[in-house]
Amino acid sequence: MTTAVNHCDRPDHTGRLASADSGVGLWTRPSTIAVLLWSVLFAAELVAMVAQCDFKLVFALDDAYIHLAVADQILSGGYGVNPGEYSSPSSSIIWPYVLALTQALHLGAFGPLLINAAAACATVFALLRALEANGLFDDVNDRPFSYLIALLLIFNVSAVALPMTGMEHSAHVWASVVTFLGLAGAARGSKPTPLHFFALVLLPLIRFEGAAFASAAIAGFALLGHRRFAAGAALVIIIGLSLYVALMTSRGLPLLPSSVLLKGYLANLDDSTSNLPAVVKNLLRSITSSYGLRLILLGLAVAGCASWLRTDRKAVIVCLTVLAAIGAHLMFGQYGWFNRYEVYIMALAAAALLWSAAHARPHLPALRWSLTKIALVLGLGIAAMPYVTTAMVTPIAASDIYEQQYQLARFAKSFYRHPVGVNDLGMVAYRNPDYTLDLWGLGSEPVRKARTAGRYGPAEMEALANDHGVGLVMIYDVWFPKGVPSSWTKVAVLRTRTVTLSQRDVAFYRTPLADAAELNSALEAFKATIPPRDRLDIVAP
């Protein structure tokens, strides 16, 4: 009778087959400890957030509510933030459709939170379990090192703070790590599973920058002998992207979302001129910023491991796949914005480094391995620093959203109840039965086109407000250096004590389409209900 051998099993020092769990109890395994520790940290973070927001679930980023608003429109047969008007504010191809399923189940904000929590927990467990299987934690007498690595990896993948953004990045990190583990398993003779296939295909669909690692991973799987797997994944990705292109084209929308076209250097792709200067500029930013330098540090460490393992062709292929993705991010990727743009590549680099170290370990003498462990802890610790800080700031960020965007949304939907204009799309548009004009352009194609063409100013703002019956505009004045239309009248200023948002004060403007008495009455009623940390200054007529 033939016995199936799990890829997590390996020969022990006597040559007999031993499980990765040998000598280690279930409850003392680093993977188990990591999940338990993550659960405590995640719960503490969630409680702190809710407590800061008067016991309401509010995400740390207003952008999450843009996706939820798009998801609602998808369920209604549209795409955008307003019924009957197409726009492309979502930064992900598939995320709004995933949220459409949770919205159909009436989960609201709990939908993305649950998905992100599951993705974060699965990432931590899968990565630690794979490292156990590859022998990184074989020394049962060296538990401090094992548990310290487990703790650091929780933050290296931003498993505490990232889910609280309500965005798609936790799923992107999970897909990146699982795809890497599929490559690592293939290098050691294991056949890629349907889960690895799903993660690989998901990469460019969940985040556009995932296309770089997906391409490298497809090449890696092919070089490792899994050509049918690689070809199948490439075909599904091509079909998925083609369907997206066809859908956007049929709706008269650009191939890239407005968030990419307006926020990043990729806006240059809309031009007929070369994109090389933008790429060079981004590369220079990478090598001069703390984020880029951390990534370069991990990349150099992975390259060093690849050199050490150079006699192992398959291990080198795995390392080169990750290095290709790192290089692509250094040239094309973004950083920051609540430390969410680069976290997937940092997690990928950390996983590759530890996996390589696990395979180099049997060839290292005791002293050199001890020095390697110190270097690993220091390197991962430096890489984890931004995500530790982000976890500490997340409850404050959620409080900032609650005290500003949540209050603006509450005023628009519960007090004013007419079409409004804003420059920070999100909560105001989500579940708002009235029209929301995005004066910044993420949710309004006319604004985006005018901005990218350099033809946007007070005249265009006034025309758009008139076209959509907007009687109230709530904006950051400093975001509009050309000023606002002369026909608009400032009637109030919401003053907050935000720490993480770009601006503290939101100006309220009445347009000629608004009923002055009705608006003033709504402002007075709203003023009596705002949190004590906020202040609404109503401008005397």
mmCIF file with all atom_site columns, all heavy atoms in Angstrom, residues 36-54:
data_model
loop_
_atom_site.group_PDB
_atom_site.id
_atom_site.type_symbol
_atom_site.label_atom_id
_atom_site.label_alt_id
_atom_site.label_comp_id
_atom_site.label_asym_id
_atom_site.label_entity_id
_atom_site.label_seq_id
_atom_site.pdbx_PDB_ins_code
_atom_site.Cartn_x
_atom_site.Cartn_y
_atom_site.Cartn_z
_atom_site.occupancy
_atom_site.B_iso_or_equiv
_atom_site.pdbx_formal_charge
_atom_site.auth_seq_id
_atom_site.auth_comp_id
_atom_site.auth_asym_id
_atom_site.auth_atom_id
_atom_site.pdbx_PDB_model_num
ATOM 1   N N   . LEU A 1 36 ? -2.833  33.094 18.100 1.00 0.00 ? 36 LEU A N   1
ATOM 2   C CA  . LEU A 1 36 ? -3.389  33.534 19.383 1.00 0.00 ? 36 LEU A CA  1
ATOM 3   C C   . LEU A 1 36 ? -2.988  34.973 19.696 1.00 0.00 ? 36 LEU A C   1
ATOM 4   O O   . LEU A 1 36 ? -3.810  35.783 20.137 1.00 0.00 ? 36 LEU A O   1
ATOM 5   C CB  . LEU A 1 36 ? -2.919  32.596 20.496 1.00 0.00 ? 36 LEU A CB  1
ATOM 6   C CG  . LEU A 1 36 ? -3.440  31.158 20.433 1.00 0.00 ? 36 LEU A CG  1
ATOM 7   C CD1 . LEU A 1 36 ? -2.792  30.310 21.529 1.00 0.00 ? 36 LEU A CD1 1
ATOM 8   C CD2 . LEU A 1 36 ? -4.959  31.135 20.578 1.00 0.00 ? 36 LEU A CD2 1
ATOM 9   N N   . LEU A 1 37 ? -1.727  35.275 19.456 1.00 0.00 ? 37 LEU A N   1
ATOM 10  C CA  . LEU A 1 37 ? -1.245  36.628 19.710 1.00 0.00 ? 37 LEU A CA  1
ATOM 11  C C   . LEU A 1 37 ? -1.926  37.627 18.783 1.00 0.00 ? 37 LEU A C   1
ATOM 12  O O   . LEU A 1 37 ? -2.336  38.717 19.207 1.00 0.00 ? 37 LEU A O   1
ATOM 13  C CB  . LEU A 1 37 ? 0.273   36.673 19.522 1.00 0.00 ? 37 LEU A CB  1
ATOM 14  C CG  . LEU A 1 37 ? 0.974   38.003 19.837 1.00 0.00 ? 37 LEU A CG  1
ATOM 15  C CD1 . LEU A 1 37 ? 0.666   38.444 21.256 1.00 0.00 ? 37 LEU A CD1 1
ATOM 16  C CD2 . LEU A 1 37 ? 2.477   37.859 19.632 1.00 0.00 ? 37 LEU A CD2 1
ATOM 17  N N   . TRP A 1 38 ? -2.058  37.247 17.510 1.00 0.00 ? 38 TRP A N   1
ATOM 18  C CA  . TRP A 1 38 ? -2.761  38.125 16.570 1.00 0.00 ? 38 TRP A CA  1
ATOM 19  C C   . TRP A 1 38 ? -4.193  38.366 17.018 1.00 0.00 ? 38 TRP A C   1
ATOM 20  O O   . TRP A 1 38 ? -4.704  39.496 16.939 1.00 0.00 ? 38 TRP A O   1
ATOM 21  C CB  . TRP A 1 38 ? -2.765  37.513 15.168 1.00 0.00 ? 38 TRP A CB  1
ATOM 22  C CG  . TRP A 1 38 ? -3.660  38.291 14.240 1.00 0.00 ? 38 TRP A CG  1
ATOM 23  C CD1 . TRP A 1 38 ? -3.360  39.422 13.547 1.00 0.00 ? 38 TRP A CD1 1
ATOM 24  C CD2 . TRP A 1 38 ? -5.035  37.989 13.937 1.00 0.00 ? 38 TRP A CD2 1
ATOM 25  N NE1 . TRP A 1 38 ? -4.457  39.856 12.839 1.00 0.00 ? 38 TRP A NE1 1
ATOM 26  C CE2 . TRP A 1 38 ? -5.488  38.996 13.055 1.00 0.00 ? 38 TRP A CE2 1
ATOM 27  C CE3 . TRP A 1 38 ? -5.916  36.966 14.337 1.00 0.00 ? 38 TRP A CE3 1
ATOM 28  C CZ2 . TRP A 1 38 ? -6.794  39.012 12.562 1.00 0.00 ? 38 TRP A CZ2 1
ATOM 29  C CZ3 . TRP A 1 38 ? -7.213  36.985 13.842 1.00 0.00 ? 38 TRP A CZ3 1
ATOM 30  C CH2 . TRP A 1 38 ? -7.639  37.991 12.965 1.00 0.00 ? 38 TRP A CH2 1
ATOM 31  N N   . SER A 1 39 ? -4.856  37.322 17.488 1.00 0.00 ? 39 SER A N   1
ATOM 32  C CA  . SER A 1 39 ? -6.251  37.458 17.922 1.00 0.00 ? 39 SER A CA  1
ATOM 33  C C   . SER A 1 39 ? -6.377  38.478 19.050 1.00 0.00 ? 39 SER A C   1
ATOM 34  O O   . SER A 1 39 ? -7.300  39.311 19.045 1.00 0.00 ? 39 SER A O   1
ATOM 35  C CB  . SER A 1 39 ? -6.799  36.100 18.382 1.00 0.00 ? 39 SER A CB  1
ATOM 36  O OG  . SER A 1 39 ? -6.763  35.149 17.334 1.00 0.00 ? 39 SER A OG  1
ATOM 37  N N   . VAL A 1 40 ? -5.445  38.437 19.986 1.00 0.00 ? 40 VAL A N   1
ATOM 38  C CA  . VAL A 1 40 ? -5.475  39.382 21.102 1.00 0.00 ? 40 VAL A CA  1
ATOM 39  C C   . VAL A 1 40 ? -5.221  40.812 20.604 1.00 0.00 ? 40 VAL A C   1
ATOM 40  O O   . VAL A 1 40 ? -5.934  41.760 20.977 1.00 0.00 ? 40 VAL A O   1
ATOM 41  C CB  . VAL A 1 40 ? -4.433  38.988 22.168 1.00 0.00 ? 40 VAL A CB  1
ATOM 42  C CG1 . VAL A 1 40 ? -4.316  40.069 23.237 1.00 0.00 ? 40 VAL A CG1 1
ATOM 43  C CG2 . VAL A 1 40 ? -4.811  37.653 22.801 1.00 0.00 ? 40 VAL A CG2 1
ATOM 44  N N   . LEU A 1 41 ? -4.210  40.973 19.761 1.00 0.00 ? 41 LEU A N   1
ATOM 45  C CA  . LEU A 1 41 ? -3.870  42.293 19.250 1.00 0.00 ? 41 LEU A CA  1
ATOM 46  C C   . LEU A 1 41 ? -4.997  42.854 18.380 1.00 0.00 ? 41 LEU A C   1
ATOM 47  O O   . LEU A 1 41 ? -5.335  44.044 18.469 1.00 0.00 ? 41 LEU A O   1
ATOM 48  C CB  . LEU A 1 41 ? -2.572  42.230 18.442 1.00 0.00 ? 41 LEU A CB  1
ATOM 49  C CG  . LEU A 1 41 ? -1.297  41.924 19.240 1.00 0.00 ? 41 LEU A CG  1
ATOM 50  C CD1 . LEU A 1 41 ? -0.131  41.675 18.287 1.00 0.00 ? 41 LEU A CD1 1
ATOM 51  C CD2 . LEU A 1 41 ? -0.979  43.066 20.189 1.00 0.00 ? 41 LEU A CD2 1
ATOM 52  N N   . PHE A 1 42 ? -5.572  41.998 17.538 1.00 0.00 ? 42 PHE A N   1
ATOM 53  C CA  . PHE A 1 42 ? -6.657  42.435 16.665 1.00 0.00 ? 42 PHE A CA  1
ATOM 54  C C   . PHE A 1 42 ? -7.873  42.862 17.485 1.00 0.00 ? 42 PHE A C   1
ATOM 55  O O   . PHE A 1 42 ? -8.494  43.901 17.208 1.00 0.00 ? 42 PHE A O   1
ATOM 56  C CB  . PHE A 1 42 ? -7.029  41.309 15.704 1.00 0.00 ? 42 PHE A CB  1
ATOM 57  C CG  . PHE A 1 42 ? -8.112  41.678 14.730 1.00 0.00 ? 42 PHE A CG  1
ATOM 58  C CD1 . PHE A 1 42 ? -7.809  42.342 13.559 1.00 0.00 ? 42 PHE A CD1 1
ATOM 59  C CD2 . PHE A 1 42 ? -9.445  41.362 14.994 1.00 0.00 ? 42 PHE A CD2 1
ATOM 60  C CE1 . PHE A 1 42 ? -8.804  42.687 12.649 1.00 0.00 ? 42 PHE A CE1 1
ATOM 61  C CE2 . PHE A 1 42 ? -10.444 41.709 14.099 1.00 0.00 ? 42 PHE A CE2 1
ATOM 62  C CZ  . PHE A 1 42 ? -10.127 42.368 12.927 1.00 0.00 ? 42 PHE A CZ  1
ATOM 63  N N   . ALA A 1 43 ? -8.213  42.049 18.487 1.00 0.00 ? 43 ALA A N   1
ATOM 64  C CA  . ALA A 1 43 ? -9.368  42.377 19.329 1.00 0.00 ? 43 ALA A CA  1
ATOM 65  C C   . ALA A 1 43 ? -9.137  43.685 20.079 1.00 0.00 ? 43 ALA A C   1
ATOM 66  O O   . ALA A 1 43 ? -10.036 44.520 20.184 1.00 0.00 ? 43 ALA A O   1
ATOM 67  C CB  . ALA A 1 43 ? -9.644  41.237 20.306 1.00 0.00 ? 43 ALA A CB  1
ATOM 68  N N   . ALA A 1 44 ? -7.918  43.863 20.588 1.00 0.00 ? 44 ALA A N   1
ATOM 69  C CA  . ALA A 1 44 ? -7.602  45.097 21.313 1.00 0.00 ? 44 ALA A CA  1
ATOM 70  C C   . ALA A 1 44 ? -7.686  46.308 20.390 1.00 0.00 ? 44 ALA A C   1
ATOM 71  O O   . ALA A 1 44 ? -8.197  47.372 20.774 1.00 0.00 ? 44 ALA A O   1
ATOM 72  C CB  . ALA A 1 44 ? -6.208  44.993 21.927 1.00 0.00 ? 44 ALA A CB  1
ATOM 73  N N   . GLU A 1 45 ? -7.195  46.149 19.161 1.00 0.00 ? 45 GLU A N   1
ATOM 74  C CA  . GLU A 1 45 ? -7.262  47.236 18.188 1.00 0.00 ? 45 GLU A CA  1
ATOM 75  C C   . GLU A 1 45 ? -8.712  47.586 17.861 1.00 0.00 ? 45 GLU A C   1
ATOM 76  O O   . GLU A 1 45 ? -9.084  48.762 17.800 1.00 0.00 ? 45 GLU A O   1
ATOM 77  C CB  . GLU A 1 45 ? -6.527  46.824 16.909 1.00 0.00 ? 45 GLU A CB  1
ATOM 78  C CG  . GLU A 1 45 ? -6.414  47.911 15.871 1.00 0.00 ? 45 GLU A CG  1
ATOM 79  C CD  . GLU A 1 45 ? -5.162  48.744 16.035 1.00 0.00 ? 45 GLU A CD  1
ATOM 80  O OE1 . GLU A 1 45 ? -4.809  49.064 17.188 1.00 0.00 ? 45 GLU A OE1 1
ATOM 81  O OE2 . GLU A 1 45 ? -4.533  49.078 15.036 1.00 0.00 ? 45 GLU A OE2 1
ATOM 82  N N   . LEU A 1 46 ? -9.527  46.571 17.655 1.00 0.00 ? 46 LEU A N   1
ATOM 83  C CA  . LEU A 1 46 ? -10.924 46.800 17.306 1.00 0.00 ? 46 LEU A CA  1
ATOM 84  C C   . LEU A 1 46 ? -11.671 47.476 18.450 1.00 0.00 ? 46 LEU A C   1
ATOM 85  O O   . LEU A 1 46 ? -12.445 48.424 18.230 1.00 0.00 ? 46 LEU A O   1
ATOM 86  C CB  . LEU A 1 46 ? -11.589 45.472 16.943 1.00 0.00 ? 46 LEU A CB  1
ATOM 87  C CG  . LEU A 1 46 ? -13.048 45.540 16.493 1.00 0.00 ? 46 LEU A CG  1
ATOM 88  C CD1 . LEU A 1 46 ? -13.178 46.422 15.252 1.00 0.00 ? 46 LEU A CD1 1
ATOM 89  C CD2 . LEU A 1 46 ? -13.584 44.140 16.214 1.00 0.00 ? 46 LEU A CD2 1
ATOM 90  N N   . VAL A 1 47 ? -11.440 47.015 19.653 1.00 0.00 ? 47 VAL A N   1
ATOM 91  C CA  . VAL A 1 47 ? -12.093 47.630 20.822 1.00 0.00 ? 47 VAL A CA  1
ATOM 92  C C   . VAL A 1 47 ? -11.667 49.088 20.974 1.00 0.00 ? 47 VAL A C   1
ATOM 93  O O   . VAL A 1 47 ? -12.498 49.966 21.238 1.00 0.00 ? 47 VAL A O   1
ATOM 94  C CB  . VAL A 1 47 ? -11.775 46.827 22.096 1.00 0.00 ? 47 VAL A CB  1
ATOM 95  C CG1 . VAL A 1 47 ? -12.214 47.600 23.346 1.00 0.00 ? 47 VAL A CG1 1
ATOM 96  C CG2 . VAL A 1 47 ? -12.451 45.467 22.056 1.00 0.00 ? 47 VAL A CG2 1
ATOM 97  N N   . ALA A 1 48 ? -10.379 49.349 20.799 1.00 0.00 ? 48 ALA A N   1
ATOM 98  C CA  . ALA A 1 48 ? -9.885  50.725 20.911 1.00 0.00 ? 48 ALA A CA  1
ATOM 99  C C   . ALA A 1 48 ? -10.512 51.616 19.848 1.00 0.00 ? 48 ALA A C   1
ATOM 100 O O   . ALA A 1 48 ? -10.877 52.769 20.118 1.00 0.00 ? 48 ALA A O   1
ATOM 101 C CB  . ALA A 1 48 ? -8.364  50.738 20.791 1.00 0.00 ? 48 ALA A CB  1
ATOM 102 N N   . MET A 1 49 ? -10.647 51.099 18.624 1.00 0.00 ? 49 MET A N   1
ATOM 103 C CA  . MET A 1 49 ? -11.275 51.872 17.548 1.00 0.00 ? 49 MET A CA  1
ATOM 104 C C   . MET A 1 49 ? -12.722 52.195 17.871 1.00 0.00 ? 49 MET A C   1
ATOM 105 O O   . MET A 1 49 ? -13.165 53.351 17.745 1.00 0.00 ? 49 MET A O   1
ATOM 106 C CB  . MET A 1 49 ? -11.206 51.086 16.229 1.00 0.00 ? 49 MET A CB  1
ATOM 107 C CG  . MET A 1 49 ? -9.868  51.085 15.546 1.00 0.00 ? 49 MET A CG  1
ATOM 108 S SD  . MET A 1 49 ? -9.896  50.063 14.045 1.00 0.00 ? 49 MET A SD  1
ATOM 109 C CE  . MET A 1 49 ? -11.230 50.822 13.118 1.00 0.00 ? 49 MET A CE  1
ATOM 110 N N   . VAL A 1 50 ? -13.465 51.194 18.253 1.00 0.00 ? 50 VAL A N   1
ATOM 111 C CA  . VAL A 1 50 ? -14.885 51.390 18.534 1.00 0.00 ? 50 VAL A CA  1
ATOM 112 C C   . VAL A 1 50 ? -15.080 52.350 19.706 1.00 0.00 ? 50 VAL A C   1
ATOM 113 O O   . VAL A 1 50 ? -15.956 53.216 19.676 1.00 0.00 ? 50 VAL A O   1
ATOM 114 C CB  . VAL A 1 50 ? -15.555 50.025 18.805 1.00 0.00 ? 50 VAL A CB  1
ATOM 115 C CG1 . VAL A 1 50 ? -16.976 50.204 19.312 1.00 0.00 ? 50 VAL A CG1 1
ATOM 116 C CG2 . VAL A 1 50 ? -15.549 49.175 17.545 1.00 0.00 ? 50 VAL A CG2 1
ATOM 117 N N   . ALA A 1 51 ? -14.238 52.212 20.725 1.00 0.00 ? 51 ALA A N   1
ATOM 118 C CA  . ALA A 1 51 ? -14.345 53.104 21.889 1.00 0.00 ? 51 ALA A CA  1
ATOM 119 C C   . ALA A 1 51 ? -14.058 54.549 21.513 1.00 0.00 ? 51 ALA A C   1
ATOM 120 O O   . ALA A 1 51 ? -14.661 55.485 22.063 1.00 0.00 ? 51 ALA A O   1
ATOM 121 C CB  . ALA A 1 51 ? -13.390 52.638 22.982 1.00 0.00 ? 51 ALA A CB  1
ATOM 122 N N   . GLN A 1 52 ? -13.148 54.762 20.574 1.00 0.00 ? 52 GLN A N   1
ATOM 123 C CA  . GLN A 1 52 ? -12.806 56.111 20.140 1.00 0.00 ? 52 GLN A CA  1
ATOM 124 C C   . GLN A 1 52 ? -13.901 56.741 19.280 1.00 0.00 ? 52 GLN A C   1
ATOM 125 O O   . GLN A 1 52 ? -13.906 57.957 19.074 1.00 0.00 ? 52 GLN A O   1
ATOM 126 C CB  . GLN A 1 52 ? -11.497 56.091 19.339 1.00 0.00 ? 52 GLN A CB  1
ATOM 127 C CG  . GLN A 1 52 ? -10.250 55.851 20.178 1.00 0.00 ? 52 GLN A CG  1
ATOM 128 C CD  . GLN A 1 52 ? -9.863  57.068 20.987 1.00 0.00 ? 52 GLN A CD  1
ATOM 129 O OE1 . GLN A 1 52 ? -10.009 58.201 20.552 1.00 0.00 ? 52 GLN A OE1 1
ATOM 130 N NE2 . GLN A 1 52 ? -9.377  56.841 22.183 1.00 0.00 ? 52 GLN A NE2 1
ATOM 131 N N   . CYS A 1 53 ? -14.798 55.909 18.760 1.00 0.00 ? 53 CYS A N   1
ATOM 132 C CA  . CYS A 1 53 ? -15.830 56.389 17.832 1.00 0.00 ? 53 CYS A CA  1
ATOM 133 C C   . CYS A 1 53 ? -17.228 56.284 18.436 1.00 0.00 ? 53 CYS A C   1
ATOM 134 O O   . CYS A 1 53 ? -18.207 56.001 17.723 1.00 0.00 ? 53 CYS A O   1
ATOM 135 C CB  . CYS A 1 53 ? -15.764 55.601 16.525 1.00 0.00 ? 53 CYS A CB  1
ATOM 136 S SG  . CYS A 1 53 ? -14.171 55.735 15.684 1.00 0.00 ? 53 CYS A SG  1
ATOM 137 N N   . ASP A 1 54 ? -17.314 56.503 19.729 1.00 0.00 ? 54 ASP A N   1
ATOM 138 C CA  . ASP A 1 54 ? -18.615 56.442 20.415 1.00 0.00 ? 54 ASP A CA  1
ATOM 139 C C   . ASP A 1 54 ? -19.318 55.126 20.150 1.00 0.00 ? 54 ASP A C   1
ATOM 140 O O   . ASP A 1 54 ? -20.531 55.066 19.908 1.00 0.00 ? 54 ASP A O   1
ATOM 141 C CB  . ASP A 1 54 ? -19.503 57.622 19.997 1.00 0.00 ? 54 ASP A CB  1
ATOM 142 C CG  . ASP A 1 54 ? -18.962 58.953 20.500 1.00 0.00 ? 54 ASP A CG  1
ATOM 143 O OD1 . ASP A 1 54 ? -18.194 58.948 21.484 1.00 0.00 ? 54 ASP A OD1 1
ATOM 144 O OD2 . ASP A 1 54 ? -19.297 59.989 19.900 1.00 0.00 ? 54 ASP A OD2 1
#
